Amino acid sequence: MSAEQEEKDRDWVWYGARISVDFVNTRRDRWAAGRELLRRPEDLTTWFEAAGIGPACIPVDEPLLAQAVELREAVDAGLLAVVEGDAFPAASQEVLNGWLARAAESPPRLDVRDGVPVLTAGALPVDGRGALSRIAVDAVEILGGADRDRLRVCAGERCSARFFDNSAGRRRRWCSMAACGNRAKAAQHRRARA
C-alpha cells in the first residue's frame, strides 16, 4: 500500500459526536461493503490517541485488535437495530455486557472534599482494554438511554456514516453538512434547474 493511500485511510472522521459512534466509523463506506481502517494493531493505537482516549504508547496486539473490531461491529449492529426499530441483537448485548463487566472493575465513587460530596468517575486502566471499555460504556449509555432516538445513519447517497444527532431540532440528516449535506443540496439544485 502506498504512503498516500495509508495517509488517506488515516483520515478518521469525528462527526459521530460520541466516542462510540466515531469508533463505529473506523469502518468506512459500509454502503459498498466497507473499507477497514483498523487493519493493523498500530492503527488502533493511532486511533486511540487521535480520539483522545489513550496515549500513543498503548500497546495493541492482534488479539486486542480482533476484540476491538468485534466490539465495533457489536455497537454498529445495536445502533442499526435502534435506528431501524428492530429487536436488539443478542450477540451485541453479550459483547457489550462483557466490556461493561471489565469497566465495572473500576466503579465510580463518592468522595468528600472539604465537606462537599464529589462524584469521582471510575479510573479505567490506561491501556487498550481500558480504552475499549470506555467505548463500550459510551455505547451503552446511548443505546440504553433516552437519547437513542438521536442515532442516525447518514442520508447521503453514497455514505453510510453513523452519527449522533445533537442538533436542537433533532432533524440532522447528514454526517456532515460540509460533505454529504452540500452534495445533496447541490444535486437538488441541479434537478430543480433541469
Side-chain angles (χ1 to χ4, degrees):
M1 174 184 312
S2 72
E4 182 179 317
Q5 179 64 37
E6 190 164 334
E7 191 59 36
K8 179 182 178 205
D9 287 350
R10 294 286 172 128
D11 288 339
W12 313 113
V13 292
W14 308 107
Y15 38 64
R18 297 291 296 254
I19 195 71
S20 59
V21 180
D22 286 332
F23 188 60
V24 167
N25 288 327
T26 61
R27 181 160 180 88
R28 304 280 296 275
D29 306 327
R30 288 176 184 264
W31 61 273
R35 180 170 53 102
E36 181 63 70
L37 300 183
L38 301 177
R39 292 184 302 274
R40 300 179 317 254
E42 49 273 12
D43 295 333
L44 182 57
T45 298
T46 302
W47 189 86
F48 285 155
E49 181 184 22
I53 61 172
C57 60
I58 287 182
V60 173
D61 57 12
E62 289 290 339
L64 186 64
L65 177 61
Q67 290 175 337
V69 169
E70 178 188 44
L71 172 62
R72 181 192 66 197
E73 296 308 309
V75 173
D76 187 53
L79 184 153
L80 286 177
V82 166
V83 167
E84 295 170 2
D86 294 337
F88 198 83
S92 292
Q93 178 187 11
E94 183 178 331
V95 170
L96 287 165
N97 279 335
W99 284 102
L100 290 179
R102 288 184 178 118
E105 295 169 5
S106 301
R109 50 180 278 130
L110 185 65
D111 290 326
V112 177
R113 295 186 190 129
D114 297 325
V116 178
V118 177
L119 177 63
T120 303
L124 290 168
V126 183
D127 63 6
R129 285 182 172 35
L132 292 174
S133 293
R134 284 185 58 192
I135 292 167
V137 168
D138 181 67
V140 170
E141 286 173 352
I142 301 168
L143 295 168
D147 286 336
R148 74 176 68 88
D149 63 337
R150 290 181 176 250
L151 289 167
R152 306 273 190 277
V153 175
C154 181
E157 186 176 306
R158 297 180 68 93
C159 186
S160 53
R162 281 65 163 138
F163 64 93
F164 183 81
D165 180 4
N166 56 1
S167 68
R170 295 184 181 205
R171 293 186 303 245
R172 185 173 152 200
R173 297 180 49 210
W174 299 290
C175 59
S176 165
M177 188 60 194
C180 290
N182 279 342
R183 279 194 290 274
K185 287 185 181 279
Q188 182 181 13
H189 180 71
R190 284 190 300 274
R191 284 191 300 272
R193 292 183 55 135

